[in-house]
DNA sequence: CGATCAGTTGAAGGGTCTCAACGCGAGTGG
DNA sequence: CCACTCGCGTTGAGACCCTTCAACTGATCG
């Protein structure tokens, strides 16, 4: 609802929307306080934060934030929009490592190395706060609250990475997709949006790469889950119609899949009502 | 790439072994300085660190450090030994998420949540520094160097988690194993040990869980790699005898596997000479 | 309207999972 | 000392799921 302002109204050229009049955090003259507020810091910390400018950057859908191997100049905090982070193999194959949304950190894995080990592109029009790495430590001393926020964000990123393992751990493709959808659902809920109905910001290929399966398999898995009447899928619109069943199914390991599918649906029917 | 004779370039904790202090770090009365030294902080920072005790804990092989779901009391820094971190499914299946060695952080993903999302057990006799979470922020203010170290360790943990994605991304089991061995090799090198010859601290089952394949497949993959004359395997002793071939093979994505295997070895011969 | 891409579905082949058996070493107690 | 058990590691055979190649639809775009 809040991000229905997507403004996908084309305008290929026109003035680059880097400068926006800005009320509060929307302007380019955002400060640490805005960043702290985004990350859910205490009001007191936000109000008492030192007035240090933190550049904000706007990206259009498909625009890259940083490239693989690029010097790590900043870490980023997503203010709005969605990003996919991935790695490109030598033969051009894209391995998607995760999807990052509001109030999450981007590029933190570059802090300990010379360059970004991954690449990030916006899946929709997005805005991020950029925190220069060289200032990271200094700012953290100036504003203890910022240090806390960075620690929490890093821990959160680590937890998020754990979700990938959780997804890849499932042997069956349908289970992987189910877990993925549940993770998405949880994150939607944590952003105050509906956990039952949401729009996928990424393509089937991105999902496939993230799940570690072929994109055709993702399609088939979607129709399978729809066949079990757990979800309803219309292109990128997803609605979870049986959360408990989806949850139970996502817990399947190994050949428990057979039981689950048999008990729910001997053969996937075409539940394709619009 | 690793032509650096001096220290292990590219590694965040490069100059760990250059400076060996007395047995100060070995006592139970270790302080922040010992922790900083372990993590490769600057000499100046180590010497000027506030004298705050940091409890050290010894664990025997097989002993658990923290359980899944347990209250996150501390984060840990591995001083010696190896740990495996994993998650246990409801049906008892263990999903291994990673293996953690010297100068790496353990349990940081619990900072942002109420409890540890994972479990950690020692694979061999090990020692860790325990840094209470509630003191984390306070100490970071007292000792800026500690804040830096924690940031670096967290970033490193994130990078390490990325390795799991790298491994799982490969479709072929042999490629997964090859990448896993290379990651291990790199980490051995960063600890000052031989990157060509090392001992696996974990069982085949642990490796299988980490790679996301059946443990029988791990066995077959080991014999396959030995058949291509890339490695020599004797139980848990591994020797990489053709690093370049292993590297090239590990880059395989999709059906490039066929080419690689054909060019190296039409059919795996029994190269099992001791 | 032709081109390109995302998404879906079908058919065939192959890699991995599963079940099964075997050898081996360690720990145990007769 | 040796039989016994148990877990680890290896190897074999069949079933099955996924990958791959292929064709088709619909949408976007110049």
């Amino acid at each position: 609802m809040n991000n229905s302002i997507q403004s996908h109204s084309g305008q290929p050229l026109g003035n680059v929307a880097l400068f926006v009049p800005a009320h509060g955090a929307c302007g380019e003259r955002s400060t640490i306080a805005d960043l702290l507020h985004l990350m859910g810091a205490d009001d007191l910390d936000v109000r008492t934060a030192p007035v240090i400018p933190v550049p904000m950057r706007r990206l259009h859908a498909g625009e890259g934030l940083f490239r693989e191997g690029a010097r790590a100049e900043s870490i980023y905090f997503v203010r709005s929009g969605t990003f996919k982070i991935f790695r490109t193999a030598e033969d051009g194959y894209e391995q998607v490592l995760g999807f990052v949304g509001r109030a999450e950190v981007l590029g933190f894995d570059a802090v300990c190395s010379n360059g970004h080990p991954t690449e990030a592109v916006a899946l929709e029009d997005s805005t991020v706060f950029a925190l220069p790495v060289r200032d990271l430590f200094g700012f953290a001393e100036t504003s203890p609250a910022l240090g806390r926020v960075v620690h929490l964000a890093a821990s959160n990123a680590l937890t998020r990475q754990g979700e990938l393992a959780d997804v890849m751990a499932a042997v069956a493709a349908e289970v992987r997709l189910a877990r993925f959808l549940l993770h998405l659902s949880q994150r939607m809920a944590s952003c105050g949006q509906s956990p039952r109905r949401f729009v996928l910001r990424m393509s089937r290929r991105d999902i496939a790469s993230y799940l570690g399966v072929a994109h055709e398999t993702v399609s088939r898995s979607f129709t399978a889950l729809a066949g079990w009447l757990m979800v309803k899928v219309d292109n990128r619109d997803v609605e979870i119609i049986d959360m408990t069943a989806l949850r139970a199914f996502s817990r399947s390991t190994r050949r428990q899949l057979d039981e689950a599918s048999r008990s729910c649906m001997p053969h996937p029917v075409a539940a394709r009502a619009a």
Side-chain angles (χ1 to χ4, degrees), chain A residues 1 23 31-32 64-65 75 89 92 96 101 105 112-113 123-124 146 190-191 199-200 212-213 218-219 239 243 273:
Chain A
M1 171 178 174
H23 10 26
T31 68
I32 281 186
L65 182 56
I75 62 176
V96 175
V105 69
C112 75
S113 53
L123 292 177
E124 54 184 326
L146 181 62
S190 74
C191 285
V199 179
L200 301 174
V213 298
V218 175
S219 264
E239 182 180 2
M243 184 72 80

Side-chain angles (χ1 to χ4, degrees), chain A residues 20 45 70 80 112 118 140 163 192 230 244:
Chain A
V20 170
D45 290 331
S80 67
C112 75
T118 58
E163 293 182 354
M230 295 174 184
T244 57

Side-chain angles (χ1 to χ4, degrees), chain A residues 223-232 240-242 245 264-265 269 271:
Chain A
T223 55
L225 291 182
W228 321 135
L229 298 177
M230 295 174 184
V231 301
K232 208 187 291 185
I240 301 178
I241 53 182
D242 193 342
C264 293
M265 206 64 182
V269 287

